Amino acid sequence: MKSFLSLLAFAPAAFAAFGVETSGSSMVVDSGDALVFTVSTKSGDITSIKYSGTELQDKSKFTQLSSGLGSADVTSTVDSGVAVVTISTNIITHYYIVREGENTIYIGTNASEEPEVGELRFIARLNKDAVPNGIPESEVDGGSVVEGSDVFEIDGETRSKFYSSVRHIEDNVHGVTGDGVGVYMVIPATSYEKSSGGPFHRDINNQGTAQQELYWYMNSNHEQTEAYRTGFFGPYAMAVTSGDAPSADLDMSFIEDLGLDGYVASSDRGSVSGTYSGTLDGLDVTIGFSNSDAQYWASASGGKFTRDAMLPGTYNVTLFQGELEAGTGSVTISAGGSASVDLESSLEIPETVWSIGTVDGTPAGFLNADKIEKMHPSDSRMGAWGPVTFTIGTDDESAFPMAQFQAVNDPTTISWSAGSGDIGERTLRIRTTSSFASGRPKITVNKWSSDTPAAPAKIDSRGVTRGTWRGNNQVYDYVIPDGTLVAGDNTIEISVVSGSSGETFLSPNVVYDSLELI
Ligand SMILES: *[C@@H]1O[C@H](CO)[C@@H](O)[C@H](O)[C@H]1NC(C)=O
Ligand SMILES: *[C@@H]1O[C@H](CO)[C@@H](O)[C@H](O)[C@H]1NC(C)=O
């Protein structure tokens, strides 16, 4: 009796034994430190996440893959200080891995097919009392619907889970916090290899409802420009801390020795280095690599780049000036090998009579471009959309609308007083970064009208109203015949045309990158 009481006095430490215990349908994984979580052996859902005794898991909705696997085979192993929980269905093998003494759940998801729901995501539905602080723009609890079932209004501000999204090239750590606790997803850059959409694709990270939802979207149709990939997604992690964000350089190399389905070890990977030239000064340069099996990226500077840990195969290589494709190449990666590729921008840098915006595949600098990633275009905090008349030589680019919606701010009119040396045959080059409902620009210059350009490839998704401009970049060249432009006042009207229609901000639309008169 005496020894039992003295054991109790040390209860938290004494009972924090690393390992996995299963009773009934509950598989309890104890990190041996502050984290203890429970996996349902029926569904693979995480039903409890305790940190120093505080319950972080919402009890009405659990933590799971996609919207839950329904039923799954759940097994565990414990070996040399590493516990592995394996959750499998006929198409998915999902792993939760814990190292003794660490409050981090390392995760890997091998998918041999896209789940029927059409998106592959990890979602932690957390106890909002314990972790009340998410991304403020994604707190939607109690809001009224503005669009779809995913954009809301609260106290006159639009909110959406889409406003938690971050470009994947920058999205390596994101999380939610509470008093003395933080829960963070950690995604190393290489772990996006089976996702889709390239370095500038963005996806949902958080939503505050009755739960605090924390996500890592592996793929979805949220303005997706590429086909989905299959295979081993990750490794990624959900780290629980006393509040601070963990480093993005979380060492996941120990996973290499665990023999996980679909996992490709570093010895079976290769690297590439190379050079680039010809991009505009002052813009970020990114190198993208893609084939049907994998995707990668590297930030480049000073004319050079390197990228390691790639799966063997032949890749299309893209040189991005900002977010705009400026050059292409091809490279073949072999296991253990180091390849090289030299890239050159093939973008013409024309001499312009005037230009509006920067040729960078983004609407940066234009009206409302600084707000669109965090609010709906109908938000009262947005600058008035117009229709805008933009005067060359007078107006700043911040007066030019970042997007044009057929039913809201159409047409955009450019007013230009031309000198006699500036007229004659000219080309107006309009670059756009996305299009919704087959919208594309058509122009009227004084009394002359252009043809209607062919519809761009359609993306099966809402676009800019979901807080992103990242669709397919398009370039439209309109050759304005000699005799159209006059010395003196000219009017150029840009309209969005489409065979489709829609209301307000869901009418056919385009997002502008830049305009150049050449
Ligand atoms: C893991 O994914 C690969 C690639 O899609 C697939 O061939 C393999 O069957 C998967 N393994 C399991 C056990 O599902
Ligand atoms: C490279 O891109 C071209 C054009 O989109 C495509 O046809 C080809 O399959 C791609 N190659 C690889 C290796 O993905």
Side-chain angles (χ1 to χ4, degrees):
M1 195 59 192
K2 203 174 174 209
S3 66
F4 179 67
L5 279 177
S6 61
L7 240 180
L8 269 186
F10 290 96
F15 287 100
F18 170 73
V20 181
E21 296 273 357
T22 303
S23 92
S25 59
S26 293
M27 182 179 280
V28 180
V29 183
D30 192 323
S31 70
D33 194 63
L35 177 70
V36 180
F37 66 98
T38 305
V39 179
S40 158
T41 57
K42 292 187 171 147
S43 62
D45 288 352
I46 294 180
T47 57
S48 168
I49 304 170
K50 285 192 173 162
Y51 179 69
S52 296
T54 301
E55 182 60 80
L56 303 180
Q57 175 62 54
D58 179 85
K59 290 295 184 175
S60 63
K61 291 185 166 181
F62 298 131
T63 289
Q64 53 197 204
L65 209 58
S66 295
S67 296
L69 297 172
S71 69
D73 287 332
V74 181
T75 58
S76 69
T77 59
V78 179
D79 188 21
S80 313
V82 178
V84 180
V85 175
T86 303
I87 298 162
S88 39
T89 69
N90 58 337
I91 61 162
I92 282 171
T93 312
H94 185 60
Y95 299 98
Y96 293 127
I97 304 159
V98 173
R99 277 210 286 195
E100 181 167 6
E102 278 185 40
N103 300 316
T104 298
I105 308 176
Y106 296 88
I107 314 174
T109 306
N110 194 54
S112 57
E113 277 175 35
E114 183 66 17
E116 268 175 25
V117 289
E119 52 182 36
L120 188 63
R121 66 178 188 189
F122 172 79
I123 173 171
R125 294 194 186 82
L126 301 173
N127 171 6
K128 214 166 176 188
D129 291 337
V131 280
N133 313 314
I135 310 288
E137 294 86 353
S138 301
E139 175 53 63
V140 303
D141 199 24
S144 51
V145 172
V146 171
E147 185 183 296
S149 52
D150 47 31
V151 183
F152 301 88
E153 188 176 303
I154 295 178
D155 298 335
E157 295 185 359
T158 52
R159 308 276 184 84
S160 174
K161 56 191 176 184
F162 294 112
Y163 307 151
S164 67
S165 70
V166 173
R167 301 192 315 169
H168 283 171
I169 189 171
E170 280 122 21
D171 192 7
N172 300 116
V173 179
H174 60 257
V176 296
T177 62
D179 191 12
V181 62
V183 186
Y184 294 91
M185 300 306 301
V186 184
I187 311 106
T190 306
S191 296
Y192 282 99
E193 68 187 359
K194 294 294 182 179
S195 293
S196 303
F200 315 121
H201 182 70
R202 305 150 56 93
D203 221 324
I204 299 164
N205 286 344
N206 170 232
Q207 178 172 244
T209 58
Q211 292 79 37
Q212 186 67 273
E213 300 171 359
L214 176 66
Y215 297 84
W216 183 45
Y217 260 87
M218 290 165 251
N219 66 40
S220 73
N221 73 339
H222 304 145
E223 191 75 348
Q224 184 51 259
T225 54
E226 270 193 317
Y228 295 151
R229 297 180 173 88
T230 54
F232 187 88
F233 291 79
Y236 53 107
M238 186 167 77
V240 186
T241 73
S242 57
D244 289 345
S247 162
D249 298 324
L250 191 59
D251 180 13
M252 302 200 190
S253 58
F254 74 98
I255 289 173
E256 188 130 347
D257 304 323
L258 302 178
L260 309 184
D261 274 340
Y263 186 89
V264 179
S266 53
S267 55
D268 293 325
R269 294 167 176 267
S271 65
V272 58
S273 60
T275 65
Y276 70 89
S277 60
T279 55
L280 284 181
D281 286 348
L283 293 176
D284 286 344
V285 175
T286 304
I287 314 299
F289 305 88
S290 71
N291 61 28
S292 59
D293 194 36
Q295 64 162 6
Y296 304 93
W297 43 78
S299 291
S301 64
K304 291 188 186 138
F305 61 88
T306 59
R307 169 72 249 184
D308 62 3
M310 296 169 72
L311 294 175
T314 297
Y315 292 85
N316 279 339
V317 188
T318 306
L319 169 63
F320 290 99
Q321 165 175 306
E323 296 187 7
L324 183 65
E325 300 85 350
T328 56
S330 174
V331 71
T332 298
I333 304 295
S334 59
S338 42
S340 79
V341 59
D342 299 315
L343 303 165
E344 205 180 322
S345 171
S346 55
L347 278 183
E348 190 195 341
I349 304 179
E351 221 165 274
T352 59
V353 182
W354 49 257
S355 62
I356 310 171
T358 307
V359 178
D360 65 354
T362 82
F366 287 162
L367 175 67
N368 292 327
D370 57 337
K371 302 193 173 74
I372 199 73
E373 294 176 314
K374 291 287 187 186
M375 58 183 91
H376 190 266
S378 67
D379 195 294
S380 61
R381 294 168 293 170
M382 287 268 172
W385 283 104
V388 164
T389 296
F390 183 93
T391 304
I392 299 292
T394 301
D395 284 323
D396 186 80
E397 67 177 18
S398 62
F400 196 89
M402 56 92 45
Q404 189 170 323
F405 307 86
Q406 203 178 53
V408 176
N409 61 338
D410 194 288
T412 298
T413 305
I414 297 171
S415 169
W416 176 41
S417 178
S420 56
D422 294 334
I423 58 176
E425 183 184 289
R426 293 285 173 189
T427 297
L428 180 64
R429 178 167 295 163
I430 300 179
R431 293 182 186 274
T432 60
T433 72
S434 76
S435 155
F436 175 70
S438 303
R440 62 269 195 197
K442 176 179 169 150
I443 69 168
T444 298
V445 182
N446 298 330
K447 295 200 170 86
W448 172 86
S449 286
S450 71
D451 291 340
T452 297
K458 202 165 177 174
I459 298 175
D460 177 26
S461 170
R462 281 176 289 144
V464 68
T465 61
R466 280 179 156 171
T468 184
W469 58 69
R470 186 64 284 132
N472 293 315
N473 291 311
Q474 302 285 331
V475 56
Y476 299 97
D477 277 358
Y478 306 89
V479 179
I480 304 168
D482 189 19
T484 305
L485 291 164
V486 297
D489 292 341
N490 295 277
T491 299
I492 302 173
E493 232 177 58
I494 308 169
S495 302
V496 173
V497 293
S498 168
S500 309
S501 62
E503 291 187 358
T504 61
F505 295 101
L506 291 177
S507 59
N509 61 61
V510 297
V511 173
Y512 288 110
D513 167 6
S514 59
L515 298 89
E516 298 167 289
L517 188 72
I518 303 161

